[in-house]
Amino acid sequence: MITAVVGTNWGDEGKGRMVDLLANKYDVVVRYQGGNNAGHTVINDRGEFILNLLPSGILRDETVNVMGPGMVIDIEHLTGEIGRLREKGIEITPDHLKISDRAIICMPYHKLLDCLEEDRLGKNSYGSTRRGISPVYSDKYMKKAFRMGDLFDMNALKERMEGIIEWKNLTVKNGYGSEALTPEANISWLEKFGLPLLNYVCDTTEYLTDAVNAGKSVMFEAQLGALRDIDFGIYPFTSASSTISAYAPIGAGIPHIKLDETIGIMKAYSSCVGAGPFTCELFGKEGDELREAGGEYGAATGRPRRVGGFDIPASKYGAMIQGADCIALTKMDVLSYFDKIPVCTKYSVDGVETDKFMVGSKLDRAKPVYEYVDGWKTDISSCRNFEDLPENAQKYVKYIENAIGCKVKYISVGPDRDAYIEM
Ligand code: GDP
Protein backbone atom coordinates (compact mmCIF):
# COMPACT_ATOMS: atom_id res chain seq x y z
CA MET A 1 0.00 0.00 0.00
CA ILE A 2 1.38 3.39 -1.02
CA THR A 3 -0.47 6.24 0.69
CA ALA A 4 -0.06 10.00 0.80
CA VAL A 5 -1.28 11.88 3.88
CA VAL A 6 -1.74 15.50 2.92
CA GLY A 7 -3.35 18.72 4.16
CA THR A 8 -6.39 20.08 2.34
CA ASN A 9 -6.37 23.55 3.90
CA TRP A 10 -3.76 26.13 4.95
CA GLY A 11 -1.67 23.69 7.02
CA ASP A 12 -1.89 22.80 10.72
CA GLU A 13 -4.74 20.41 10.01
CA GLY A 14 -3.28 17.83 12.39
CA LYS A 15 -1.25 15.84 9.86
CA GLY A 16 1.41 14.97 12.45
CA ARG A 17 -1.22 13.52 14.76
CA MET A 18 -2.82 11.46 11.95
CA VAL A 19 0.51 10.21 10.56
CA ASP A 20 1.54 9.14 14.07
CA LEU A 21 -1.77 7.28 14.38
CA LEU A 22 -1.70 5.66 10.94
CA ALA A 23 2.03 4.92 10.91
CA ASN A 24 1.56 1.52 12.53
CA LYS A 25 -0.06 0.34 9.28
CA TYR A 26 3.07 1.25 7.27
CA ASP A 27 6.63 -0.02 7.17
CA VAL A 28 8.07 3.28 5.99
CA VAL A 29 7.11 6.96 6.47
CA VAL A 30 8.64 9.55 4.10
CA ARG A 31 8.65 13.35 4.42
CA TYR A 32 8.75 14.61 0.85
CA GLN A 33 8.99 18.41 0.89
CA GLY A 34 9.61 21.49 3.00
CA GLY A 35 11.93 22.03 5.91
CA ASN A 36 11.75 23.10 9.53
CA ASN A 37 9.09 25.67 8.74
CA ALA A 38 6.76 22.75 9.49
CA GLY A 39 5.68 22.02 13.03
CA HIS A 40 3.86 18.78 13.73
CA THR A 41 2.67 18.21 17.27
CA VAL A 42 2.42 14.57 18.28
CA ILE A 43 1.10 13.42 21.65
CA ASN A 44 1.32 9.74 22.55
CA ASP A 45 2.19 7.46 25.46
CA ARG A 46 5.86 8.55 25.23
CA GLY A 47 5.07 12.24 25.75
CA GLU A 48 4.46 15.36 23.71
CA PHE A 49 6.73 16.07 20.77
CA ILE A 50 7.08 18.85 18.24
CA LEU A 51 8.64 17.57 15.04
CA ASN A 52 9.87 20.07 12.48
CA LEU A 53 12.04 17.99 10.17
CA LEU A 54 11.78 14.38 11.29
CA PRO A 55 8.95 12.33 9.76
CA SER A 56 6.12 11.70 12.24
CA GLY A 57 6.72 7.94 12.15
CA ILE A 58 9.92 8.53 14.14
CA LEU A 59 8.09 7.85 17.41
CA ARG A 60 7.36 4.27 16.41
CA ASP A 61 10.35 1.94 16.80
CA GLU A 62 9.29 -0.42 14.03
CA THR A 63 8.81 2.29 11.37
CA VAL A 64 11.62 3.32 9.02
CA ASN A 65 11.62 7.08 8.43
CA VAL A 66 12.94 8.72 5.30
CA MET A 67 13.71 12.37 4.58
CA GLY A 68 13.28 12.66 0.83
CA PRO A 69 15.14 14.62 -1.88
CA GLY A 70 12.28 17.15 -2.02
CA MET A 71 13.20 18.37 1.46
CA VAL A 72 15.45 21.25 2.54
CA ILE A 73 17.31 20.38 5.73
CA ASP A 74 18.78 22.76 8.28
CA ILE A 75 21.30 20.31 9.73
CA GLU A 76 21.83 22.35 12.90
CA HIS A 77 18.10 22.22 13.58
CA LEU A 78 17.97 18.50 12.77
CA THR A 79 20.84 17.84 15.20
CA GLY A 80 18.82 19.65 17.90
CA GLU A 81 15.67 17.70 17.08
CA ILE A 82 17.48 14.34 17.27
CA GLY A 83 19.09 15.50 20.55
CA ARG A 84 15.73 16.42 22.08
CA LEU A 85 14.37 12.96 21.28
CA ARG A 86 17.49 11.40 22.80
CA GLU A 87 16.85 13.36 26.02
CA LYS A 88 13.44 11.67 26.18
CA GLY A 89 15.04 8.25 25.72
CA ILE A 90 14.42 7.86 21.98
CA GLU A 91 17.60 6.94 20.15
CA ILE A 92 17.58 7.47 16.38
CA THR A 93 19.63 4.84 14.56
CA PRO A 94 20.51 4.66 10.85
CA ASP A 95 18.04 1.75 10.59
CA HIS A 96 15.32 4.05 11.86
CA LEU A 97 16.17 7.20 9.88
CA LYS A 98 17.45 7.55 6.34
CA ILE A 99 18.26 10.94 4.82
CA SER A 100 18.38 11.28 1.05
CA ASP A 101 21.78 12.14 -0.37
CA ARG A 102 19.83 14.35 -2.82
CA ALA A 103 18.10 16.45 -0.10
CA ILE A 104 19.19 20.08 -0.04
CA ILE A 105 21.03 21.65 2.90
CA CYS A 106 19.50 24.84 4.30
CA MET A 107 22.53 26.99 5.17
CA PRO A 108 22.77 29.73 7.84
CA TYR A 109 22.86 32.35 5.05
CA HIS A 110 19.47 31.16 3.80
CA LYS A 111 18.01 31.93 7.21
CA LEU A 112 19.85 35.25 7.24
CA LEU A 113 18.52 36.20 3.81
CA ASP A 114 14.98 35.26 4.85
CA CYS A 115 15.25 37.62 7.86
CA LEU A 116 16.94 40.43 5.90
CA GLU A 117 14.20 40.42 3.29
CA GLU A 118 11.31 40.18 5.77
CA ASP A 119 12.84 43.08 7.73
CA ARG A 120 13.29 45.11 4.55
CA LEU A 121 9.63 44.54 3.65
CA GLY A 122 8.49 45.64 7.10
CA LYS A 123 4.71 45.80 7.25
CA ASN A 124 4.50 44.26 3.78
CA SER A 125 6.41 41.14 4.84
CA TYR A 126 5.19 37.69 3.78
CA GLY A 127 4.94 36.43 7.33
CA SER A 128 7.70 33.93 6.61
CA THR A 129 8.81 31.57 9.38
CA ARG A 130 12.27 33.15 8.77
CA ARG A 131 13.83 29.71 8.58
CA GLY A 132 15.38 30.19 5.17
CA ILE A 133 12.96 28.06 3.20
CA SER A 134 12.28 30.36 0.23
CA PRO A 135 15.96 31.37 -0.18
CA VAL A 136 17.14 27.77 -0.10
CA TYR A 137 14.55 26.56 -2.63
CA SER A 138 15.53 29.53 -4.84
CA ASP A 139 19.16 28.40 -4.69
CA LYS A 140 18.11 24.84 -5.49
CA TYR A 141 16.55 26.04 -8.75
CA MET A 142 19.54 28.35 -9.38
CA LYS A 143 21.58 25.13 -9.06
CA LYS A 144 23.73 26.77 -6.39
CA ALA A 145 22.72 24.70 -3.36
CA PHE A 146 24.53 21.93 -1.49
CA ARG A 147 23.08 18.46 -1.13
CA MET A 148 23.45 16.09 1.81
CA GLY A 149 25.52 13.72 -0.35
CA ASP A 150 28.06 16.52 -1.00
CA LEU A 151 29.21 16.08 2.61
CA PHE A 152 30.90 12.82 1.59
CA ASP A 153 33.49 14.80 -0.40
CA MET A 154 34.47 17.83 1.67
CA ASN A 155 37.33 18.76 -0.69
CA ALA A 156 35.01 19.18 -3.65
CA LEU A 157 32.51 20.97 -1.43
CA LYS A 158 35.16 23.46 -0.22
CA GLU A 159 36.05 24.31 -3.81
CA ARG A 160 32.42 25.03 -4.69
CA MET A 161 31.89 27.01 -1.49
CA GLU A 162 34.33 29.74 -2.56
CA GLY A 163 32.30 30.64 -5.65
CA ILE A 164 28.95 30.36 -3.90
CA ILE A 165 29.96 32.66 -1.04
CA GLU A 166 31.33 35.18 -3.54
CA TRP A 167 27.93 35.10 -5.27
CA LYS A 168 25.98 35.28 -1.99
CA ASN A 169 27.93 38.32 -0.85
CA LEU A 170 26.66 40.22 -3.87
CA THR A 171 23.32 40.18 -2.07
CA VAL A 172 24.17 39.84 1.61
CA LYS A 173 26.99 42.41 1.71
CA ASN A 174 26.58 44.58 -1.38
CA GLY A 175 22.78 44.48 -1.47
CA TYR A 176 21.57 44.40 2.14
CA GLY A 177 24.77 45.93 3.59
CA SER A 178 25.07 43.06 6.05
CA GLU A 179 28.37 41.62 7.30
CA ALA A 180 30.21 39.61 4.61
CA LEU A 181 29.90 35.83 4.67
CA THR A 182 33.05 33.73 4.68
CA PRO A 183 33.66 30.30 3.16
CA GLU A 184 35.51 29.21 6.32
CA ALA A 185 32.59 29.86 8.68
CA ASN A 186 30.21 27.98 6.41
CA ILE A 187 32.59 25.04 5.99
CA SER A 188 33.06 24.69 9.74
CA TRP A 189 29.28 24.84 10.23
CA LEU A 190 28.89 22.00 7.71
CA GLU A 191 31.63 20.00 9.40
CA LYS A 192 30.17 20.52 12.85
CA PHE A 193 26.55 19.66 12.06
CA GLY A 194 26.76 17.72 8.79
CA LEU A 195 29.50 15.16 9.31
CA PRO A 196 27.92 13.56 12.42
CA LEU A 197 24.74 12.99 10.37
CA LEU A 198 26.50 11.11 7.56
CA ASN A 199 25.58 7.72 9.06
CA TYR A 200 21.99 8.48 8.13
CA VAL A 201 22.68 9.70 4.58
CA CYS A 202 22.16 7.22 1.75
CA ASP A 203 20.58 6.74 -1.64
CA THR A 204 16.98 6.62 -0.41
CA THR A 205 15.70 6.15 -3.96
CA GLU A 206 17.44 2.79 -4.04
CA TYR A 207 16.27 1.97 -0.51
CA LEU A 208 12.62 2.85 -1.23
CA THR A 209 12.56 1.11 -4.61
CA ASP A 210 13.79 -2.10 -2.97
CA ALA A 211 11.31 -1.66 -0.12
CA VAL A 212 8.35 -1.25 -2.50
CA ASN A 213 9.51 -4.17 -4.65
CA ALA A 214 9.69 -6.30 -1.50
CA GLY A 215 6.02 -5.47 -0.82
CA LYS A 216 6.60 -2.97 1.99
CA SER A 217 3.95 -0.33 2.59
CA VAL A 218 4.94 3.32 2.38
CA MET A 219 3.30 6.49 3.65
CA PHE A 220 4.21 9.90 2.28
CA GLU A 221 3.83 12.68 4.81
CA ALA A 222 3.21 16.22 3.58
CA GLN A 223 4.01 19.50 5.18
CA LEU A 224 1.47 22.36 5.10
CA GLY A 225 -1.73 22.18 3.06
CA ALA A 226 -3.05 22.43 -0.51
CA LEU A 227 -3.61 26.18 -0.22
CA ARG A 228 0.10 26.68 0.52
CA ASP A 229 1.26 24.80 -2.57
CA ILE A 230 3.65 26.90 -4.64
CA ASP A 231 1.64 26.34 -7.84
CA PHE A 232 -1.94 25.78 -6.67
CA GLY A 233 -2.07 27.76 -3.45
CA ILE A 234 -2.59 31.41 -2.52
CA TYR A 235 0.61 32.56 -4.25
CA PRO A 236 2.68 34.50 -3.15
CA PHE A 237 1.51 33.59 0.38
CA THR A 238 2.42 29.98 -0.24
CA SER A 239 5.27 27.81 0.82
CA ALA A 240 8.20 27.52 -1.59
CA SER A 241 7.58 23.84 -2.33
CA SER A 242 4.89 21.49 -3.53
CA THR A 243 2.51 20.31 -0.82
CA ILE A 244 0.28 18.17 -3.02
CA SER A 245 -0.01 14.40 -3.22
CA ALA A 246 0.91 14.23 -6.91
CA TYR A 247 4.35 15.54 -5.99
CA ALA A 248 4.82 13.00 -3.17
CA PRO A 249 6.50 10.25 -5.21
CA ILE A 250 8.88 12.81 -6.74
CA GLY A 251 9.75 14.53 -3.48
CA ALA A 252 10.16 11.16 -1.82
CA GLY A 253 12.57 10.10 -4.54
CA ILE A 254 10.53 7.36 -6.21
CA PRO A 255 8.79 9.08 -9.14
CA HIS A 256 8.22 5.70 -10.80
CA ILE A 257 5.92 4.51 -7.99
CA LYS A 258 2.18 5.22 -8.14
CA LEU A 259 -0.01 6.16 -5.19
CA ASP A 260 -2.75 3.74 -4.10
CA GLU A 261 -4.51 6.17 -1.79
CA THR A 262 -4.53 9.82 -0.73
CA ILE A 263 -5.89 10.72 2.70
CA GLY A 264 -6.78 14.41 2.97
CA ILE A 265 -6.45 15.86 6.46
CA MET A 266 -9.16 18.48 6.91
CA LYS A 267 -9.87 20.54 9.97
CA ALA A 268 -13.48 20.86 11.21
CA TYR A 269 -12.95 24.65 11.13
CA SER A 270 -10.25 26.87 9.55
CA SER A 271 -6.92 28.28 10.66
CA CYS A 272 -4.14 30.10 8.87
CA VAL A 273 -0.71 31.34 9.94
CA GLY A 274 0.77 34.53 8.53
CA ALA A 275 -0.38 36.95 5.87
CA GLY A 276 -2.49 36.40 2.76
CA PRO A 277 -6.14 36.03 1.80
CA PHE A 278 -8.18 34.06 4.36
CA THR A 279 -11.75 34.75 3.35
CA CYS A 280 -13.52 32.88 6.16
CA GLU A 281 -11.61 34.73 8.92
CA LEU A 282 -13.55 35.43 12.13
CA PHE A 283 -12.59 38.50 14.15
CA GLY A 284 -13.17 39.89 17.64
CA LYS A 285 -14.77 37.76 20.33
CA GLU A 286 -15.91 35.08 17.86
CA GLY A 287 -12.34 34.63 16.58
CA ASP A 288 -10.70 34.82 20.02
CA GLU A 289 -13.00 32.13 21.44
CA LEU A 290 -12.31 29.74 18.57
CA ARG A 291 -8.55 30.39 18.76
CA GLU A 292 -8.54 29.62 22.49
CA ALA A 293 -10.78 26.56 22.14
CA GLY A 294 -8.55 25.13 19.41
CA GLY A 295 -5.23 26.20 20.99
CA GLU A 296 -4.39 27.83 17.66
CA TYR A 297 -0.82 28.99 18.17
CA GLY A 298 1.91 27.98 15.68
CA ALA A 299 3.87 24.84 16.60
CA ALA A 300 6.96 26.14 14.74
CA THR A 301 6.80 29.81 15.80
CA GLY A 302 4.22 30.19 18.63
CA ARG A 303 2.43 32.84 16.56
CA PRO A 304 -1.35 33.17 17.13
CA ARG A 305 -3.13 31.69 14.13
CA ARG A 306 -5.97 33.41 12.31
CA VAL A 307 -9.15 31.34 12.60
CA GLY A 308 -12.47 30.97 10.81
CA GLY A 309 -15.39 28.61 10.38
CA PHE A 310 -15.20 25.60 8.07
CA ASP A 311 -14.63 27.03 4.59
CA ILE A 312 -16.51 25.04 1.95
CA PRO A 313 -15.06 26.67 -1.23
CA ALA A 314 -11.48 26.37 0.06
CA SER A 315 -11.86 22.84 1.48
CA LYS A 316 -13.60 21.52 -1.64
CA TYR A 317 -10.82 22.95 -3.80
CA GLY A 318 -8.15 21.58 -1.43
CA ALA A 319 -9.64 18.08 -1.53
CA MET A 320 -9.83 18.23 -5.34
CA ILE A 321 -6.25 19.46 -5.83
CA GLN A 322 -5.03 16.75 -3.48
CA GLY A 323 -7.02 14.05 -5.28
CA ALA A 324 -8.24 13.00 -1.83
CA ASP A 325 -9.84 9.55 -1.79
CA CYS A 326 -11.08 10.10 1.74
CA ILE A 327 -10.91 12.67 4.52
CA ALA A 328 -9.66 12.60 8.09
CA LEU A 329 -11.70 15.33 9.80
CA THR A 330 -9.74 16.68 12.75
CA LYS A 331 -10.46 18.77 15.84
CA MET A 332 -14.21 18.07 15.83
CA ASP A 333 -14.13 18.27 19.65
CA VAL A 334 -13.10 21.94 19.46
CA LEU A 335 -16.53 22.85 18.06
CA SER A 336 -18.39 21.43 21.06
CA TYR A 337 -18.81 24.84 22.71
CA PHE A 338 -20.91 26.38 19.92
CA ASP A 339 -24.70 26.78 20.07
CA LYS A 340 -24.63 27.45 16.35
CA ILE A 341 -21.53 26.55 14.34
CA PRO A 342 -20.43 29.10 11.73
CA VAL A 343 -19.74 27.66 8.26
CA CYS A 344 -18.50 29.70 5.32
CA THR A 345 -20.59 28.21 2.51
CA LYS A 346 -19.76 30.60 -0.33
CA TYR A 347 -17.69 33.59 -1.31
CA SER A 348 -19.19 36.81 -2.54
CA VAL A 349 -17.04 38.51 -5.17
CA ASP A 350 -18.11 41.87 -6.56
CA GLY A 351 -21.68 41.09 -5.49
CA VAL A 352 -21.75 37.62 -7.10
CA GLU A 353 -21.94 34.55 -4.88
CA THR A 354 -19.94 31.45 -5.76
CA ASP A 355 -18.89 28.21 -4.08
CA LYS A 356 -15.77 28.06 -6.28
CA PHE A 357 -12.34 28.83 -4.88
CA MET A 358 -10.31 31.28 -6.92
CA VAL A 359 -6.86 32.81 -6.88
CA GLY A 360 -5.42 36.27 -7.46
CA SER A 361 -7.11 39.63 -6.92
CA LYS A 362 -10.61 38.08 -7.03
CA LEU A 363 -9.72 36.11 -3.91
CA ASP A 364 -8.44 39.29 -2.27
CA ARG A 365 -11.86 40.88 -2.84
CA ALA A 366 -13.89 37.83 -1.77
CA LYS A 367 -16.18 38.21 1.25
CA PRO A 368 -17.45 35.20 3.21
CA VAL A 369 -21.07 34.12 3.13
CA TYR A 370 -21.76 32.50 6.50
CA GLU A 371 -24.45 30.05 7.53
CA TYR A 372 -24.97 28.67 11.01
CA VAL A 373 -25.65 25.00 11.68
CA ASP A 374 -26.84 23.50 14.97
CA GLY A 375 -24.14 22.63 17.48
CA TRP A 376 -24.13 19.69 19.92
CA LYS A 377 -22.91 21.34 23.13
CA THR A 378 -21.55 18.09 24.61
CA ASP A 379 -18.02 16.85 25.12
CA ILE A 380 -17.36 14.35 22.32
CA SER A 381 -13.71 13.61 23.13
CA SER A 382 -14.47 10.14 24.49
CA CYS A 383 -16.61 9.04 21.51
CA ARG A 384 -15.01 6.14 19.61
CA ASN A 385 -17.85 5.17 17.25
CA PHE A 386 -19.82 7.33 14.86
CA GLU A 387 -23.03 6.25 16.63
CA ASP A 388 -21.63 7.58 19.95
CA LEU A 389 -21.59 11.13 18.53
CA PRO A 390 -24.59 13.35 19.30
CA GLU A 391 -27.04 13.61 16.42
CA ASN A 392 -25.98 17.14 15.47
CA ALA A 393 -22.30 16.12 15.36
CA GLN A 394 -23.22 13.24 13.03
CA LYS A 395 -25.17 15.72 10.91
CA TYR A 396 -22.16 18.07 10.79
CA VAL A 397 -19.95 15.28 9.41
CA LYS A 398 -22.54 14.36 6.77
CA TYR A 399 -23.00 18.04 5.90
CA ILE A 400 -19.25 18.37 5.25
CA GLU A 401 -19.15 15.15 3.21
CA ASN A 402 -21.95 16.44 1.01
CA ALA A 403 -20.45 19.89 0.64
CA ILE A 404 -17.01 18.71 -0.45
CA GLY A 405 -18.02 15.54 -2.26
CA CYS A 406 -15.64 13.23 -0.44
CA LYS A 407 -16.15 10.57 2.26
CA VAL A 408 -14.92 11.11 5.80
CA LYS A 409 -13.00 8.00 6.91
CA TYR A 410 -11.58 9.22 10.24
CA ILE A 411 -12.85 11.74 12.77
CA SER A 412 -10.36 13.03 15.30
CA VAL A 413 -11.93 14.09 18.59
CA GLY A 414 -8.80 14.92 20.60
CA PRO A 415 -5.03 15.28 20.33
CA ASP A 416 -4.23 11.89 21.91
CA ARG A 417 -3.35 8.94 19.72
CA ASP A 418 -6.52 6.96 20.50
CA ALA A 419 -8.97 9.91 20.36
CA TYR A 420 -10.52 9.11 17.01
CA ILE A 421 -13.39 7.40 15.22
CA GLU A 422 -12.88 5.22 12.16
CA MET A 423 -15.93 5.10 9.91
P1 GDP B 1 0.11 19.67 11.52
O1 GDP B 1 1.22 20.60 11.18
O2 GDP B 1 -0.88 19.51 10.41
O3 GDP B 1 0.58 18.37 12.06
O4 GDP B 1 -0.73 20.35 12.68
P2 GDP B 1 -0.19 21.02 14.03
O5 GDP B 1 0.55 20.02 14.82
O6 GDP B 1 0.44 22.32 13.76
O7 GDP B 1 -1.58 21.39 14.72
C1 GDP B 1 -2.43 20.46 15.14
C2 GDP B 1 -2.65 20.69 16.65
O8 GDP B 1 -3.91 20.20 17.00
C3 GDP B 1 -1.67 19.95 17.52
O9 GDP B 1 -1.46 20.67 18.70
C4 GDP B 1 -2.39 18.64 17.83
O10 GDP B 1 -2.00 18.03 19.06
C5 GDP B 1 -3.80 19.12 17.91
N1 GDP B 1 -4.80 18.16 17.47
C6 GDP B 1 -4.75 17.31 16.42
N2 GDP B 1 -5.92 16.68 16.28
C7 GDP B 1 -6.73 17.15 17.27
C8 GDP B 1 -8.09 16.91 17.61
O11 GDP B 1 -8.82 16.13 17.00
N3 GDP B 1 -8.59 17.62 18.69
C9 GDP B 1 -7.85 18.51 19.39
N4 GDP B 1 -8.43 19.15 20.40
N5 GDP B 1 -6.58 18.77 19.07
C10 GDP B 1 -6.02 18.09 18.02
Side-chain angles (χ1 to χ4, degrees), residues 117 121 135 158 165 190 212 218 226 255 276 317 367 418 423:
E117 181 56 11
L121 287 169
K158 281 176 189 166
I165 293 298
L190 285 172
V212 173
V218 179
Y317 172 81
K367 302 267 182 298
D418 67 345
M423 304 284 268

Side-chain angles (χ1 to χ4, degrees), residues 86-158:
R86 189 175 296 129
E87 280 164 19
K88 293 192 178 177
I90 300 170
E91 201 56 47
I92 311 292
T93 66
D95 287 339
H96 196 201
L97 175 69
K98 300 187 185 297
I99 304 174
S100 168
D101 52 3
R102 295 171 174 89
I104 301 284
I105 301 175
C106 183
M107 300 289 295
Y109 53 75
H110 292 124
K111 235 160 64 175
L112 173 70
L113 280 164
D114 206 351
C115 295
L116 289 170
E117 181 56 11
E118 286 288 277
D119 288 345
R120 189 189 72 82
L121 287 169
K123 66 175 176 40
N124 295 322
S125 73
Y126 286 76
S128 158
T129 53
R130 295 174 173 246
R131 293 192 166 179
I133 309 302
S134 292
V136 66
Y137 272 112
S138 306
D139 282 8
K140 169 177 173 171
Y141 290 101
M142 290 288 282
K143 295 157 287 182
K144 289 182 196 284
F146 297 103
R147 310 215 284 185
M148 290 301 292
D150 294 342
L151 293 167
F152 286 113
D153 186 348
M154 285 306 285
N155 287 334
L157 192 151
K158 281 176 189 166

